[in-house]
Amino acid sequence: MTDDGTPIELSWDWGYGDPTSAPTVRYSVEPVGLDAGTVLDRNNSKEAIPFQNRLVSSTPNINLEWYTHFHEYFLRNVKASPNRQGHSSKIFYAFDLCRTGITSKVYFFPRYVSDLEGIPVMDAISEAINTAPQGAGLQRNLQVFCEYTSNQQYPAEIDMLSIDMVDPKESRVKVYFRSRQTDFESVRTAMSLGGKLVSPQIERGLEELKDLWKALFNVDADEDVPLHNMNHRTAGILYNVELRVNEGQPAVKVYLPVRHYGASDRSILQGLCEFMVRRNRDQHTLRYLKFMESIL
């Protein structure tokens, strides 16, 4: 779940609409059993099902159609598969604590099936998506992403696949991929999937992202200058491509690894808050700043 092994991660979704609206609190967890790491459960394989059962009993509106499909596909024979992930995690859960209710999400690691069957990771993902309920409505946008990842000019390391546990017609499939390229020009390329996604909204978003990039990493505007070199499994830039049933085109999001490339926690916090204040989000940003400074 995290670089230091903590099995929970908190986040705030600031949104992109009304600047006065409150952020959504979110968190991700990896179910860890009491016997995990012992001779009784060396690979923490026993807790996922009990956790899922408790989740279903406490969340009556949860939809399991896609969960059942992708769980059966990605976790089949997982005990026999080699561990080449750099970790032994197999499933994560995440929850958005919205005012209207809780949205539940689940994350799978396709490389286990890829290693077990000796096929490329994207082939495993494509098969899982194409055979899913409503999968036909995802194929066009999936093909756009497959063409991007097959181009050796854009080396991408496929990491995870996630879904929302809602009706498949309303859900998202998100495929997470990492690039070791850390210059902003490479970010621009990834966000457009090699130039296949073009719109005024994307261009405006990239200019906003460039401003945030400079604020967080304290770098100039030169887009071809990479961040400092970092040799770590989670170094580089993490992205996800979001696919929806019968949607016009995919959407790409980026995760900026401030833990590797920011100067300090305080520098990152200052850069983020200055960026948010410039966008008229003073009210909640200042509360966030006060809270974070209390624990630094």
Side-chain angles (χ1 to χ4, degrees), residues 1-2 5-10 27-30:
M1 174 59 66
T2 56
T6 304
I8 185 168
E9 186 171 62
L10 296 168
Y27 68 96
S28 307
V29 296
E30 178 179 8

Side-chain angles (χ1 to χ4, degrees), residues 26-265:
R26 310 184 299 183
Y27 68 96
S28 307
V29 296
E30 178 179 8
V32 178
L34 294 176
D35 296 325
T38 71
V39 293
L40 299 176
D41 186 15
R42 291 193 182 280
N43 296 314
N44 189 36
S45 59
K46 294 182 178 180
E47 182 59 24
I49 297 301
F51 181 90
Q52 175 69 16
N53 292 338
R54 293 193 297 272
L55 176 61
V56 171
S57 65
S58 62
T59 316
N61 64 337
I62 202 168
N63 185 298
L64 296 179
E65 191 171 6
W66 265 5
Y67 168 84
T68 300
H69 169 77
F70 287 105
H71 186 277
E72 290 179 353
Y73 186 89
F74 288 121
L75 293 181
R76 51 182 166 159
N77 301 321
V78 75
K79 291 181 180 179
S81 64
N83 175 22
R84 299 180 186 174
Q85 296 277 136
H87 59 79
S88 58
S89 299
K90 300 175 180 65
I91 191 168
F92 294 159
Y93 290 84
F95 306 94
D96 294 358
L97 309 183
C98 306
R99 292 184 181 274
T100 56
I102 298 175
T103 300
S104 303
K105 299 172 284 188
V106 62
Y107 296 72
F108 302 99
F109 293 90
R111 190 167 296 278
Y112 286 103
V113 168
S114 166
D115 289 346
L116 184 66
E117 300 196 352
I119 60 175
V121 179
M122 275 309 303
D123 286 2
I125 288 175
S126 296
E127 182 180 7
I129 291 175
N130 289 334
T131 57
Q134 302 290 333
L138 298 166
Q139 289 181 9
R140 182 177 62 178
N141 287 335
L142 174 62
Q143 182 60 33
V144 173
F145 181 56
C146 287
E147 290 174 2
Y148 171 78
T149 59
S150 66
N151 189 331
Q152 296 303 309
Q153 184 179 353
Y154 315 123
E157 302 172 16
I158 309 301
D159 196 2
M160 299 181 293
L161 177 146
S162 77
I163 58 168
D164 304 315
M165 287 192 276
V166 299
D167 187 319
K169 293 189 292 292
E170 305 297 328
S171 184
R172 303 164 295 173
V173 173
K174 293 186 288 186
V175 181
Y176 291 74
F177 63 100
R178 190 182 309 279
S179 171
R180 300 296 170 175
Q181 297 174 300
T182 60
D183 57 282
F184 192 81
E185 182 59 34
S186 71
V187 175
R188 184 182 293 277
T189 299
M191 296 294 288
S192 66
L193 295 182
K196 291 184 178 294
L197 308 182
V198 181
S199 73
Q201 292 83 359
I202 291 176
E203 285 303 313
R204 285 197 297 270
L206 284 169
E207 289 307 307
E208 291 278 288
L209 178 60
K210 187 175 180 179
D211 192 19
L212 178 60
W213 180 275
K214 292 188 291 183
L216 292 176
F217 301 129
N218 194 27
V219 295
D220 294 327
D222 295 333
E223 296 194 1
D224 60 348
V225 177
L227 302 175
H228 63 264
N229 186 49
M230 173 66 63
N231 183 22
H232 192 280
R233 188 183 67 81
T234 59
I237 310 296
L238 182 67
Y239 305 87
N240 79 53
V241 61
E242 179 182 295
L243 313 175
R244 290 179 180 266
V245 173
N246 298 324
E247 190 75 10
Q249 66 179 17
V252 182
K253 296 179 182 178
V254 61
Y255 296 78
L256 304 182
V258 291
R259 71 170 70 94
H260 292 312
Y261 301 108
S264 66
D265 286 348

